[in-house]
């Protein structure tokens, strides 16, 4: 069995954003040489997400509105977590959007449904954040 590990770094210039990272993940898969197996992708931080969904701008604005309704960023004072930090909403948003994506690898490709794409969801940006890519198989 082959094993591949890579850490990607994203430095998003805003507090929140959704970035389609599918091209970078496909590059990792190519580099790994693995044809059959499983790919895991997760942020190494607790205020960002990796998730699979549609690359459609309207939906991304809907996610933003939905998450702001559930866990509004402000006022910062509404959260117990916000003492030295102001990112309680980011922890909550990440919990809703999930930690990781796992994708089957078949014939050297990501075995996606028609509209599936992998996104990095940033909820507390403006600093470098790491995303782990682990692929196992043969
Ligand atoms: Zn925090």
């Amino acid at each position: 069995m082959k094993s591949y590990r890579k850490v990607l770094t994203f430095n998003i210039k805003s507090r929140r954003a959704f970035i389609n990272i599918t091209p970078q993940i496909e590059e990792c898969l190519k580099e790994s040489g693995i044809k059959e197996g499983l790919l895991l992708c997760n942020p190494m931080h607790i205020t960002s997400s990796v998730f699979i969904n549609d690359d459609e701008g309207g939906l991304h604005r809907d996610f933003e509105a939905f998450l702001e309704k559930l866990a509004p960023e402000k006022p910062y004072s509404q959260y117990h977590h916000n003492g030295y930090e102001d990112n309680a909403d980011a922890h909550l948003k990440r919990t809703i959007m999930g930690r990781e994506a796992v994708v089957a690898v078949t014939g050297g490709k990501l075995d996606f449904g028609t509209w599936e794409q992998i996104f990095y969801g940033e909820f507390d940006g403006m600093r470098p954040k790491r995303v782990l890519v682990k692929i196992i198989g043969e």
Side-chain angles (χ1 to χ4, degrees):
M1 190 193 75
K2 279 196 248 182
S3 173
Y4 170 96
R5 180 184 190 271
K6 188 158 193 173
V7 175
L8 307 173
T9 303
F10 296 96
N11 195 348
I12 308 297
K13 302 296 179 202
S14 54
R15 183 172 171 110
R16 285 189 294 280
F18 297 122
I19 311 289
N20 187 338
I21 60 170
T22 311
Q24 289 98 314
I25 303 303
E26 283 172 339
E27 199 51 47
C28 291
L29 180 55
K30 209 165 133 190
E31 200 175 281
S32 77
I34 293 170
K35 304 286 181 211
E36 296 293 322
L38 287 174
L39 180 148
L40 165 75
C41 183
N42 64 269
M44 301 174 89
H45 300 269
I46 51 180
T47 52
S48 46
S49 292
V50 169
F51 63 96
I52 295 180
N53 219 302
D54 193 0
D55 195 1
E56 199 279 305
L59 179 65
H60 297 179
R61 289 197 297 277
D62 291 337
F63 277 138
E64 165 67 15
F66 166 71
L67 292 168
E68 269 300 290
K69 240 179 251 172
L70 289 176
E73 177 188 339
K74 294 170 185 169
Y76 296 123
S77 61
Q78 73 189 302
Y79 298 108
H80 299 294
H81 179 68
N82 287 344
Y84 298 104
E85 290 189 294
D86 66 1
N87 66 2
D89 70 302
H91 290 279
L92 297 172
K93 286 166 175 138
R94 171 264 167 78
T95 302
I96 300 296
M97 297 307 285
R99 173 181 180 265
E100 75 275 308
V102 178
V103 184
V105 174
T106 307
K109 296 215 155 80
L110 298 172
D111 203 342
F112 278 147
T114 310
W115 301 107
E116 288 186 304
Q117 294 282 290
I118 305 174
F119 292 89
Y120 174 70
E122 180 61 83
F123 306 114
D124 186 21
M126 297 177 283
R127 57 198 169 99
K129 308 272 277 272
R130 289 164 300 137
V131 171
L132 174 69
V133 180
K134 180 88 183 191
I135 314 171
I136 56 168
E138 52 191 52

